[in-house]
């Protein structure tokens, strides 16, 4: 097992995804950014939960935080759907982001 979180592929993928979402939302108009945007950028919690679980001493604690991360993935899918329905992201971007999740 790795001793460094930066060596976990799933962690690196989650961080890259969250950064992509952040920079996408940063371009939105104020109202969209202040409402849906503030929720969707919480995709940061995917990587944060992976990192916190990684830092825990016991396997069961790590597993619990991985479950939290999985919940954040599902929540993010819901926010992406809303963003697509409200024409904040294109169908193409929506499909690409879903595949990444």
């Amino acid at each position: 097992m790795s001793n460094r979180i930066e060596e976990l592929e799933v962690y690196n993928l989650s961080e890259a995804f969250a950064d992509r979402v952040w920079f996408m939302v940063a371009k939105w108009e104020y109202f969209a950014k202040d409402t849906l945007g503030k929720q969707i950028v919480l995709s940061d919690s995917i990587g944060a939960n992976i990192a916190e679980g990684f830092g825990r001493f016991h396997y069961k604690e790590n597993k619990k935080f991985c479950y939290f991360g999985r919940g954040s993935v599902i929540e993010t899918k819901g926010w992406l759907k809303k963003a697509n329905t409200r024409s904040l992201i294109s169908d193409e971007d929506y499909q690409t982001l879903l595949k990444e999740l």
Side-chain angles (χ1 to χ4, degrees), residues 22-54:
W22 175 275
F23 292 115
M24 175 186 69
V25 169
K27 297 175 186 172
W28 293 356
E29 297 293 327
Y30 174 78
F31 178 74
K33 193 184 306 183
D34 190 50
T35 54
L36 197 147
K38 284 183 176 179
Q39 294 297 318
I40 201 169
V41 297
L42 293 177
S43 64
D44 282 338
S45 67
I46 299 168
N49 280 301
I50 293 168
E52 186 163 357
F54 183 86

Side-chain angles (χ1 to χ4, degrees), residues 83-98:
N84 179 249
T85 299
R86 297 170 188 177
S87 301
L88 295 168
I89 60 174
S90 68
D91 290 338
E92 182 180 338
D93 286 341
Y94 173 64
Q95 291 301 323
T96 299
L97 291 167
L98 280 183

